[in-house]
Amino acid sequence: MAPELQQSNSFYLEQGQIAHENGGFEKDLDDDGQKRRTGTVVTASAHIITAVIGSGVLSLAWAIAQLGWAAGPAVLLAFSVITYFTSTMLADCYRAPDPVTGKRNYTYMDVVRAYLGGRKVQLCGLAQYGNLVGITIGYTITASISMVAVKRSNCFHKHGHQAGCHTSNNPFMIIFGCIQILLSQIPNFHELSWLSIMAAVMSFAYSSIGLGLSIAKVAGGANARTTLTGVTVDVDVTATEKVWRTFQAIGDIAFAYAYSTVLIEIQDTLKSSPPENKAMKKASLVGVSTTTLFYLLCGCVGYAAFGNDAPGNFLTGFGFYDPFWLVDFANICIAIHLIGAYQVFCQPIFAFVESWCRSKWPENKFITREHPIEMPFIGIYYLNWFRLVWRTTYVVVTAIVAMIFPFFNDFLGLIGAASFWPLTVYFPIEMHIAQAKVPKYSMRWTWLKILSYACLVVSLIAAAGSIQGLVDALKSYKPFQSKS
């Protein structure tokens, strides 16, 4: 191996094994021969919060409005408990067969291959990477809406709240894409800690601002109409719309807890002492507990502020106009957070494609060769032409798709519904049964299966609601002419 690939200040993570001439591993390497991992509960929690507290929090007031005071908070709590419970199972599967001393698995697909094998590996890959692609498209849409909201807020402040101030989203999607092209050249997940911590701070900032503005609206005597069952049939919506909106709201809440798709990749950044599974369980508890608290506050207080007329996104849907500078700052925080969150979700896609190409064409210099470049403050950055071309192409394609399908709530609900059951529930439960050798038809096996099938039903009805919403949106939509 070339000596330059071993430099500690390199921005490139060598994936192969490095050994001494006497056969022993260097002190800065882990048990699998890779560069020693340095992640902690804090960095893992930041990754989780970055992945979880995203655009989903902004639609929760709308979701609670569809479900009402009775079902809304209950559904939120149910999804949080299920997500944490299954994430602890998934954390134990990072190593196989033993959760502490077994062989590492670097991706969700690797974990499924180790415990289940067969066609389920391909099904997992389809669900995981399809979901990740969908999330990156959704984040491109949401970030552009937040950027446009800043411009519209200033327009409303200048020309009054009755002004249209409609602005095309497309230029802002292009700006977001250009930023992502640059950040996508970060070689791997291990180098993202700083970006995730910054994004997590931004998520707390805009969630707190939204919460504070909602509290101020309620304290100011807002007479918003709220009910135990949410939007009222024949008053707010028709009976059919009530059913479809309820289904879609369930999908939005499911999406709000989506991080199982990147849990294994996050866990692979943790140092091996304390054991990765224990550290990941702590990080999951911190991440899920923190986000659930914010979700309950933002969703419930947002519903109290806006009632059954809650907008789909209460910061960009202009539930608030003033103070305009604070609304602007909140939307800037959303955009910055989504810049980091996009990377958390796209890095596993990049790693999967690049690993597959390296194994398929190991002699191809375009794919495998690293070109060292001295960079100020960073050290040596290793430029790979294939990485540059492929990642740039991916960002461009997701931006174009986002311009063609700029539907926010329906798109979020469909992503959440499609991924919640297979990735958050089914695979973790099946792998836990295989790992713990749970006897078939035992009490534990039975209730785990009941939980899995119940979540499948939830995913199907949520998907149906989102598809119906997309069908309605398509009736009045023209591609590349999205406006906020």
Side-chain angles (χ1 to χ4, degrees):
M1 175 175 297
E4 65 267 24
L5 293 186
Q6 300 177 30
Q7 294 188 29
S8 60
N9 65 340
S10 169
F11 208 33
Y12 169 83
L13 178 66
E14 174 61 16
Q15 298 294 328
Q17 291 190 342
I18 310 172
H20 285 301
E21 293 181 0
N22 62 7
F25 289 110
E26 292 186 3
K27 291 182 179 180
D28 63 344
L29 300 180
D30 272 326
D31 56 328
D32 59 346
Q34 294 195 18
K35 182 179 177 182
R36 187 171 295 281
R37 295 157 177 84
T38 59
T40 63
V41 171
V42 173
T43 59
S45 298
H47 283 313
I48 292 170
I49 291 169
T50 299
V52 178
I53 298 186
S55 50
V57 71
L58 306 174
S59 65
L60 289 180
W62 179 89
I64 298 291
Q66 311 315 307
L67 300 171
W69 287 119
V75 171
L76 261 174
L77 287 171
F79 276 118
S80 69
V81 171
I82 292 169
T83 300
Y84 173 69
F85 175 66
T86 56
S87 71
T88 60
M89 294 180 175
L90 191 54
D92 281 334
C93 295
Y94 170 65
R95 289 180 181 264
D98 185 87
V100 177
T101 60
K103 179 181 176 294
R104 295 175 187 266
N105 295 289
Y106 305 114
T107 67
Y108 204 137
M109 280 184 70
D110 288 343
V111 172
V112 174
R113 185 180 292 109
Y115 284 98
L116 302 177
R119 192 168 294 278
K120 290 179 180 178
V121 179
Q122 284 73 40
L123 291 175
C124 170
L126 182 64
Q128 181 190 8
Y129 293 108
N131 175 250
L132 291 173
V133 170
I135 289 173
T136 55
I137 294 169
Y139 279 179
T140 303
I141 295 169
T142 312
S144 70
I145 291 172
S146 294
M147 292 176 185
V148 167
V150 174
K151 186 173 181 180
R152 293 189 70 201
S153 176
N154 293 333
C155 174
F156 287 133
H157 180 70
K158 185 176 181 180
H159 300 290
H161 299 173
Q162 303 307 315
C165 294
H166 295 296
T167 304
S168 173
N169 293 353
N170 292 346
F172 297 92
M173 290 189 193
I174 293 171
I175 291 170
F176 183 81
C178 290
I179 295 170
Q180 293 303 336
I181 288 173
L182 180 63
L183 290 177
S184 291
Q185 304 315 310
I186 296 173
N188 52 61
F189 217 125
H190 301 260
E191 308 289 348
L192 284 181
S193 294
W194 65 273
L195 190 59
S196 281
I197 290 171
M198 180 183 70
V201 170
M202 293 296 106
S203 68
F204 283 126
Y206 69 71
S207 297
S208 300
I209 291 170
L211 177 61
L213 290 172
S214 296
I215 292 172
K217 189 176 178 73
V218 173
N223 296 314
R225 184 170 50 85
T226 64
T227 63
L228 279 175
T229 56
V231 291
T232 308
V233 175
D234 295 331
V235 176
D236 302 302
V237 292
T238 64
T240 303
E241 287 175 333
K242 172 71 175 179
V243 172
W244 288 123
R245 285 191 177 195
T246 298
F247 289 172
Q248 187 184 333
I250 293 171
D252 283 358
I253 293 172
F255 174 79
Y257 284 103
Y259 80 99
S260 296
T261 47
V262 292
L263 185 146
I264 296 298
E265 285 79 1
I266 292 172
Q267 191 166 345
D268 190 46
T269 67
L270 294 172
K271 57 186 179 182
S272 55
S273 179
E276 301 92 351
N277 63 328
K278 291 184 178 180
M280 194 64 199
K281 288 176 184 178
K282 288 181 181 178
S284 293
L285 181 60
V286 171
V288 173
S289 299
T290 304
T291 54
T292 300
L293 177 62
F294 266 89
Y295 283 177
L296 283 170
L297 288 172
C298 290
C300 294
V301 177
Y303 180 43
F306 298 106
N308 292 343
D309 296 322
N313 181 322
F314 69 63
L315 280 176
T316 61
F318 288 93
F320 303 109
Y321 289 95
D322 294 302
F324 82 99
W325 58 268
L326 189 59
V327 176
D328 283 356
F329 179 70
N331 279 301
I332 291 169
C333 289
I334 294 170
I336 294 173
H337 170 258
L338 293 177
I339 287 170
Y342 184 102
Q343 285 301 311
V344 169
F345 284 104
C346 73
Q347 283 289 340
I349 303 171
F350 296 157
F352 173 75
V353 171
E354 289 158 19
S355 176
W356 183 84
C357 289
R358 280 195 301 268
S359 62
K360 185 76 173 176
W361 299 287
E363 303 301 323
N364 190 312
K365 299 296 184 185
F366 176 74
I367 294 173
T368 61
R369 189 169 182 181
E370 303 288 336
H371 303 273
I373 299 175
E374 285 278 1
M375 296 191 69
F377 309 112
I378 293 176
I380 298 177
Y381 173 81
Y382 287 89
L383 174 67
N384 178 286
W385 289 112
F386 172 70
R387 185 166 62 230
L388 176 65
V389 173
W390 139 243
R391 295 188 181 193
T392 301
T393 302
Y394 176 85
V395 173
V396 170
V397 170
T398 55
I400 291 173
V401 172
M403 292 178 197
I404 297 174
F405 301 107
F407 312 120
F408 180 63
N409 271 359
D410 304 303
F411 198 63
L412 287 183
L414 186 58
I415 290 171
S419 65
F420 177 74
W421 179 69
L423 298 174
T424 302
V425 181
Y426 175 73
F427 284 122
I429 285 178
E430 291 299 311
M431 289 188 292
H432 171 74
I433 290 173
Q435 184 187 56
K437 297 180 173 60
V438 179
K440 199 170 186 180
Y441 304 118
S442 65
M443 181 62 72
R444 188 178 182 186
W445 183 92
T446 302
W447 75 259
L448 284 172
K449 288 291 186 178
I450 291 172
L451 174 62
S452 181
Y453 290 130
C455 289
L456 172 60
V457 172
V458 168
S459 288
L460 289 175
I461 64 173
S466 297
I467 290 170
Q468 191 274 339
L470 284 169
V471 170
D472 278 353
L474 282 168
K475 292 176 183 176
S476 59
Y477 134 88
K478 296 178 181 179
F480 298 104
Q481 294 185 26
S482 167
K483 288 188 177 183
S484 293

